[in-house]
Amino acid sequence: MTEPRKKNVYPLMILLMIGGFILFLAWSAFQAAGLGSKVTDPDYYSKGLKYNTTQVEKRAAEVLGWNVETRLKGRKLEIRLTDQKGEDVTGAGGSLYLAIPGTAENIHLPLQEVTSGLYKVSFKDNISGSIQARLELEREGARLYRLLLLNLD
C-alpha cells in the first residue's frame, strides 16, 4: 500500500504573499502619485521653526495678565487691551487675519490704536458673512493670540 502524498502548500503561500506585496506596493505608489491633501498650509515649516519663540511670547503675555475685550460696532471692530490691574496697555502692535470662505489666502488688516488701550479695525463692504479671524497683539516681546468668529452683515 502506498500512502497518499501530502501536498506542499508553502510554494502557494509564498506566491500569495509576493502577489499581496506587489498589490500593496502598486496601491501605495498610486496614492503617493495623487494630488495629496487639499488642506495644506504653505507656511507649515516656518511656523514650526518659530514654535519656541511663539511659546515664549505667549507665556510672557500670560504673565503680564493681559485681558482682551472685543466689540463689533457695525463694520468696525474695537479691541480693548488691559493688563491684570485693569490699566490700558498702550503701544501694542496688532493685526487681524480674516479667513474668508472660498479664498485661499487670509486677509491681513493692521490694527490702529485710537486711544489709550483701544485698537480698531474697519471692514470693507465686500467682506460679509460669518468669518473666522485670528487676532494678534504684540508689545515688547509679549504676544497674545485670540481666535474670533465675526458675523458681518
Side-chain angles (χ1 to χ4, degrees):
M1 275 195 175
T2 60
E3 290 185 27
R5 201 169 182 188
K6 291 184 181 179
K7 292 185 179 179
N8 192 356
V9 294
Y10 293 116
L12 179 62
M13 289 178 70
I14 291 173
L15 287 175
L16 284 174
M17 287 175 55
I18 290 172
F21 177 75
I22 291 172
L23 283 174
F24 178 73
L25 187 63
W27 174 81
S28 63
F30 176 75
Q31 292 294 321
L35 296 176
S37 175
K38 302 273 188 208
V39 182
T40 59
D41 186 355
D43 294 331
Y44 175 78
Y45 291 106
S46 67
K47 289 176 184 172
L49 294 174
K50 292 190 262 182
Y51 177 78
N52 288 336
T53 305
T54 56
Q55 290 301 315
V56 169
E57 292 169 343
K58 285 180 185 179
R59 283 192 204 109
E62 290 172 3
V63 168
L64 292 173
W66 284 1
N67 183 34
V68 176
E69 295 176 21
T70 57
R71 185 176 303 127
L72 187 60
K73 291 184 176 179
R75 303 208 50 86
K76 292 184 180 181
L77 179 66
E78 294 181 351
I79 297 118
R80 171 73 61 187
L81 182 61
T82 56
D83 62 11
Q84 60 190 4
K85 297 175 186 174
E87 297 177 7
D88 294 331
V89 176
T90 61
S95 297
L96 188 69
Y97 297 92
L98 304 177
I100 306 294
T103 61
E105 294 185 17
N106 291 341
I107 294 176
H108 170 256
L109 301 172
L111 300 178
Q112 296 177 353
E113 185 173 11
V114 290
T115 62
S116 178
L118 182 65
Y119 301 86
K120 284 188 179 181
V121 64
S122 297
F123 302 105
K124 295 180 182 177
D125 291 335
N126 64 347
I127 300 173
S128 63
S130 182
I131 299 170
Q132 291 183 356
R134 185 180 80 231
L135 174 66
E136 293 184 8
L137 293 164
E138 189 267 333
R139 181 174 163 239
E140 297 177 1
R143 186 170 295 201
L144 183 71
Y145 297 96
R146 288 287 187 269
L147 296 177
L148 306 172
L149 181 61
L150 303 173
N151 291 311
L152 299 172
D153 296 327

